[in-house]
PDB file of all heavy atoms in Angstrom:
ATOM      1  N   ALA A1599     -47.805  14.942 -32.479  1.00 97.00           N
ATOM      2  CA  ALA A1599     -46.682  14.657 -31.589  1.00 97.00           C
ATOM      3  C   ALA A1599     -45.800  15.879 -31.339  1.00 97.00           C
ATOM      4  O   ALA A1599     -45.220  16.023 -30.261  1.00 97.00           O
ATOM      5  CB  ALA A1599     -45.836  13.522 -32.153  1.00 97.00           C
ATOM      6  N   LEU A1600     -45.657  16.735 -32.312  1.00 96.00           N
ATOM      7  CA  LEU A1600     -44.770  17.889 -32.169  1.00 96.00           C
ATOM      8  C   LEU A1600     -45.398  19.040 -31.396  1.00 96.00           C
ATOM      9  O   LEU A1600     -44.722  20.015 -31.079  1.00 96.00           O
ATOM     10  CB  LEU A1600     -44.310  18.379 -33.544  1.00 96.00           C
ATOM     11  CG  LEU A1600     -43.404  17.407 -34.325  1.00 96.00           C
ATOM     12  CD1 LEU A1600     -43.069  17.971 -35.701  1.00 96.00           C
ATOM     13  CD2 LEU A1600     -42.130  17.108 -33.551  1.00 96.00           C
ATOM     14  N   THR A1601     -46.676  18.924 -31.072  1.00 97.00           N
ATOM     15  CA  THR A1601     -47.333  19.990 -30.316  1.00 97.00           C
ATOM     16  C   THR A1601     -47.028  19.852 -28.831  1.00 97.00           C
ATOM     17  O   THR A1601     -46.509  18.844 -28.362  1.00 97.00           O
ATOM     18  CB  THR A1601     -48.858  19.953 -30.506  1.00 97.00           C
ATOM     19  OG1 THR A1601     -49.362  18.743 -29.941  1.00 97.00           O
ATOM     20  CG2 THR A1601     -49.233  20.024 -31.976  1.00 97.00           C
ATOM     21  N   SER A1602     -47.381  20.877 -28.078  1.00 98.00           N
ATOM     22  CA  SER A1602     -47.240  20.810 -26.623  1.00 98.00           C
ATOM     23  C   SER A1602     -48.421  20.037 -26.044  1.00 98.00           C
ATOM     24  O   SER A1602     -49.517  20.004 -26.615  1.00 98.00           O
ATOM     25  CB  SER A1602     -47.194  22.210 -26.018  1.00 98.00           C
ATOM     26  OG  SER A1602     -48.482  22.816 -26.082  1.00 98.00           O
ATOM     27  N   ALA A1603     -48.201  19.430 -24.896  1.00 98.00           N
ATOM     28  CA  ALA A1603     -49.265  18.676 -24.242  1.00 98.00           C
ATOM     29  C   ALA A1603     -50.414  19.592 -23.819  1.00 98.00           C
ATOM     30  O   ALA A1603     -51.581  19.205 -23.853  1.00 98.00           O
ATOM     31  CB  ALA A1603     -48.705  17.926 -23.037  1.00 98.00           C
ATOM     32  N   THR A1604     -50.086  20.801 -23.417  1.00 98.00           N
ATOM     33  CA  THR A1604     -51.142  21.721 -22.996  1.00 98.00           C
ATOM     34  C   THR A1604     -52.003  22.141 -24.193  1.00 98.00           C
ATOM     35  O   THR A1604     -53.203  22.360 -24.059  1.00 98.00           O
ATOM     36  CB  THR A1604     -50.550  22.970 -22.322  1.00 98.00           C
ATOM     37  OG1 THR A1604     -49.517  23.526 -23.146  1.00 98.00           O
ATOM     38  CG2 THR A1604     -49.969  22.614 -20.959  1.00 98.00           C
ATOM     39  N   PHE A1605     -51.390  22.242 -25.360  1.00 98.00           N
ATOM     40  CA  PHE A1605     -52.162  22.569 -26.559  1.00 98.00           C
ATOM     41  C   PHE A1605     -53.085  21.418 -26.943  1.00 98.00           C
ATOM     42  O   PHE A1605     -54.272  21.606 -27.219  1.00 98.00           O
ATOM     43  CB  PHE A1605     -51.216  22.894 -27.716  1.00 98.00           C
ATOM     44  CG  PHE A1605     -51.922  23.160 -29.026  1.00 98.00           C
ATOM     45  CD1 PHE A1605     -52.472  24.403 -29.285  1.00 98.00           C
ATOM     46  CD2 PHE A1605     -52.058  22.165 -29.984  1.00 98.00           C
ATOM     47  CE1 PHE A1605     -53.146  24.651 -30.484  1.00 98.00           C
ATOM     48  CE2 PHE A1605     -52.710  22.399 -31.180  1.00 98.00           C
ATOM     49  CZ  PHE A1605     -53.264  23.649 -31.428  1.00 98.00           C
ATOM     50  N   LEU A1606     -52.554  20.202 -26.936  1.00 98.00           N
ATOM     51  CA  LEU A1606     -53.353  19.044 -27.329  1.00 98.00           C
ATOM     52  C   LEU A1606     -54.479  18.795 -26.322  1.00 98.00           C
ATOM     53  O   LEU A1606     -55.549  18.280 -26.681  1.00 98.00           O
ATOM     54  CB  LEU A1606     -52.469  17.800 -27.448  1.00 98.00           C
ATOM     55  CG  LEU A1606     -53.026  16.672 -28.325  1.00 98.00           C
ATOM     56  CD1 LEU A1606     -53.161  17.137 -29.778  1.00 98.00           C
ATOM     57  CD2 LEU A1606     -52.124  15.443 -28.268  1.00 98.00           C
ATOM     58  N   ALA A1607     -54.261  19.168 -25.073  1.00 98.00           N
ATOM     59  CA  ALA A1607     -55.276  18.973 -24.040  1.00 98.00           C
ATOM     60  C   ALA A1607     -56.557  19.743 -24.337  1.00 98.00           C
ATOM     61  O   ALA A1607     -57.636  19.409 -23.812  1.00 98.00           O
ATOM     62  CB  ALA A1607     -54.724  19.399 -22.681  1.00 98.00           C
ATOM     63  N   LYS A1608     -56.473  20.759 -25.192  1.00 98.00           N
ATOM     64  CA  LYS A1608     -57.652  21.555 -25.533  1.00 98.00           C
ATOM     65  C   LYS A1608     -58.696  20.743 -26.296  1.00 98.00           C
ATOM     66  O   LYS A1608     -59.848  21.171 -26.421  1.00 98.00           O
ATOM     67  CB  LYS A1608     -57.235  22.779 -26.341  1.00 98.00           C
ATOM     68  CG  LYS A1608     -56.377  23.763 -25.566  1.00 98.00           C
ATOM     69  CD  LYS A1608     -55.918  24.915 -26.433  1.00 98.00           C
ATOM     70  CE  LYS A1608     -55.012  25.876 -25.651  1.00 98.00           C
ATOM     71  NZ  LYS A1608     -54.496  26.974 -26.512  1.00 98.00           N
ATOM     72  N   ARG A1609     -58.303  19.580 -26.791  1.00 98.00           N
ATOM     73  CA  ARG A1609     -59.257  18.705 -27.473  1.00 98.00           C
ATOM     74  C   ARG A1609     -60.277  18.118 -26.497  1.00 98.00           C
ATOM     75  O   ARG A1609     -61.334  17.652 -26.906  1.00 98.00           O
ATOM     76  CB  ARG A1609     -58.528  17.553 -28.163  1.00 98.00           C
ATOM     77  CG  ARG A1609     -57.675  17.969 -29.346  1.00 98.00           C
ATOM     78  CD  ARG A1609     -57.010  16.756 -29.942  1.00 98.00           C
ATOM     79  NE  ARG A1609     -56.262  17.094 -31.147  1.00 98.00           N
ATOM     80  CZ  ARG A1609     -56.335  16.405 -32.279  1.00 98.00           C
ATOM     81  NH1 ARG A1609     -57.129  15.359 -32.366  1.00 98.00           N
ATOM     82  NH2 ARG A1609     -55.606  16.755 -33.320  1.00 98.00           N
ATOM     83  N   PHE A1610     -59.903  18.089 -25.218  1.00 98.00           N
ATOM     84  CA  PHE A1610     -60.749  17.461 -24.205  1.00 98.00           C
ATOM     85  C   PHE A1610     -61.477  18.499 -23.363  1.00 98.00           C
ATOM     86  O   PHE A1610     -60.940  19.552 -23.041  1.00 98.00           O
ATOM     87  CB  PHE A1610     -59.912  16.561 -23.301  1.00 98.00           C
ATOM     88  CG  PHE A1610     -59.174  15.481 -24.041  1.00 98.00           C
ATOM     89  CD1 PHE A1610     -57.784  15.422 -24.024  1.00 98.00           C
ATOM     90  CD2 PHE A1610     -59.856  14.517 -24.763  1.00 98.00           C
ATOM     91  CE1 PHE A1610     -57.093  14.430 -24.697  1.00 98.00           C
ATOM     92  CE2 PHE A1610     -59.191  13.509 -25.450  1.00 98.00           C
ATOM     93  CZ  PHE A1610     -57.803  13.464 -25.421  1.00 98.00           C
TER      94      PHE A1610
END
Side-chain angles (χ1 to χ4, degrees):
L1600 294 177
T1601 65
S1602 72
T1604 50
F1605 176 81
L1606 202 64
K1608 295 176 182 177
R1609 291 180 176 227
F1610 302 118

